[in-house]
Amino acid sequence: MTFWHRPSRKLQGARLRPSRTSLARAFVPRRAGALTFLANFALFLLLSLAGGFASAWYGIEIGSRLTTERHGPWRSWIAAGRPDADPYTRAYMARSGRLPITSTSARYYLAREDSEGNALDERCEYVIEGRGPTGGWWSLAAYDADGRLMRNPAERYAFNSASLLRAPDGSWQIRLARDARAGNWLPVSGDNGLALMLRVYGSGVRGELSAAAQGGLDLPAVRRVRCD
Amino acid sequence: MRLSRRSLARLWGGLSWFWVVAAVITGGVIHIATVLALPYLATDTAWTRLGGALAANRMQVLPPATPELQAFPFMAPDVRYAACRYDLSEGPVIVRADLLHPTWSIALYTPRGDNFYTVTSADLGRRTVKLRLEQAAEGPDEPLPLPRKARTLRDPGVRVTVPSAEGILLIRAPLLGDAYLREADNALSQASCAKAS
């Protein structure tokens, strides 16, 4: 199948023109009626606008393997806060309105799902359990879907590595529920979704990050207990 | 207008690969343009939230995060923050702070949210941190002039070259427990951010 005329000696050095072969005809219809043109144009608009914006939204809000790191329900933007961050991370951070410490000194893990992949629901009760993270100072806080703290009479919004009650073997459990629970109870309220943020700061972070790179970071599991 | 199966089949047959290829290319251009333009179009960035609320070259202790008041989304409720909007248009700015614990940090951001510099007391090996924020010099990077004899003991501070004339500085004091609240608030309220005299 030839797409181009083979130039004759006379035409050498002259401008080449594409021939109307079958391949060319596939791309350029010969006779397009008004309805066919409209159908083609509608297809063009749908594919280009929906595809362009939807893929951009996905790359910015969800992130890909190139920009984010996943550990169970926890997602972290690899280059968050870095001056040499990729455009997707940059767009995500601009939209988020946050000022994260560069990812080489601190890490932020956001969970909007439980360990089984179900979206976190503020009407449900969850147990968050684990042993780590082990290095530095870390804190786990509950927010609504927009990142606002949840109003509660105990005025308790987070547990951190210093304030948490641990079992003798070093493991810990946080219970996320509307009503008071024994142990580390983190109250949940409102009706605007639920998101968990785990932040790890400090001198141990660099060691923690290398552990994360090896897949050995001990991030807690988020287990749903029941739903009202 | 009702379309018969035959006219639908004709319409389907009339669809051209040209338009599909053109749509994929245009979709790619829209994707790239959206991703690149978003940081400039976003109206609710940290800079728009904090930049307008902070006075230039003055350290302010931010109120603790509560459901009623948060300086930015996902603000940590168990970290105390002090912030300064630095403005180097009239010369260098000196920042002084006592970082009481190794996890306390000072982070510098451009208006676009790039954290170009972070320091902890563990990095410097001392609790009292003094930074001298300067804009990138036009000439070669020269060391600070040696202090005169009478000022030998004055600490010139760690020189930080700042890529933009304006930006935000955040001191973070992660709390080791409620008992450390007063200590953290005291230390942050004594931190300063002012134009170099």
Side-chain angles (χ1 to χ4, degrees), chain B residues 36-87:
Chain B
L36 292 180
L38 204 78
Y40 300 96
L41 299 177
T43 52
D44 205 19
T45 64
W47 174 250
T48 54
R49 279 166 169 262
L50 270 179
L54 296 171
N57 301 333
R58 220 186 100 211
M59 191 70 80
Q60 276 174 261
V61 180
L62 299 184
T66 61
E68 290 76 28
L69 189 67
Q70 273 178 239
F72 39 85
F74 292 103
M75 188 177 178
D78 46 3
V79 174
R80 287 288 176 271
Y81 297 85
C84 165
R85 177 166 68 84
Y86 61 81
D87 181 356

Side-chain angles (χ1 to χ4, degrees), chain A:
Chain A
M1 186 166 57
T2 55
F3 191 62
W4 301 95
H5 281 297
R6 184 173 296 162
S8 66
R9 292 195 170 215
K10 277 185 184 174
L11 282 174
Q12 272 181 359
R15 206 172 147 215
L16 299 179
R17 287 180 188 173
S19 70
R20 292 189 69 81
T21 60
S22 56
L23 183 64
R25 276 198 294 274
F27 281 89
V28 187
R30 280 164 300 176
R31 289 194 307 275
L35 195 62
T36 314
F37 175 77
L38 276 179
N40 274 309
F41 194 65
L43 176 79
F44 166 77
L45 280 184
L46 186 79
L47 275 181
S48 59
L49 292 178
F53 285 121
S55 59
W57 176 85
Y58 188 88
I60 293 167
E61 281 301 305
I62 312 292
S64 67
R65 284 187 177 189
L66 294 174
T67 52
T68 56
E69 206 179 77
R70 275 187 170 275
H71 300 274
W74 304 99
R75 192 159 51 88
S76 175
W77 286 75
I78 297 165
R82 277 167 53 169
D84 61 350
D86 57 276
Y88 296 96
T89 305
R90 209 171 268 285
Y92 172 79
M93 283 303 154
R95 252 175 69 78
S96 74
R98 290 169 46 214
L99 283 177
I101 302 184
T102 177
S103 55
T104 48
S105 306
R107 282 309 277 270
Y108 300 83
Y109 299 93
L110 184 66
R112 293 186 186 272
E113 300 168 352
D114 62 18
S115 291
E116 290 178 351
N118 302 311
L120 291 178
D121 190 328
E122 72 282 6
R123 292 162 298 183
C124 300
E125 182 176 338
Y126 296 91
V127 169
I128 308 164
E129 53 195 356
R131 288 172 172 276
T134 46
W137 179 93
W138 60 265
S139 154
L140 197 152
Y143 301 87
D144 70 7
D146 298 326
R148 275 190 298 266
L149 294 168
M150 293 173 160
R151 191 173 287 118
N152 68 82
E155 294 187 356
R156 185 182 296 161
Y157 310 109
F159 280 101
N160 61 48
S161 50
S163 66
L164 192 76
L165 297 172
R166 289 172 186 267
D169 66 353
S171 65
W172 53 264
Q173 261 195 358
I174 294 174
R175 293 191 88 89
L176 214 62
R178 286 184 175 258
D179 302 316
R181 295 285 183 270
N184 300 310
W185 169 52
L186 194 52
V188 175
S189 66
D191 54 4
N192 188 28
L194 175 62
L196 299 171
M197 170 76 82
L198 175 67
R199 62 196 93 226
V200 189
Y201 294 160
S203 51
V205 171
R206 287 183 182 92
E208 199 72 58
L209 290 182
S210 61
Q214 294 158 17
L217 183 64
D218 194 8
L219 291 182
V222 183
R223 192 161 49 81
R224 188 157 80 182
V225 179
R226 66 189 180 92
C227 273
D228 293 332

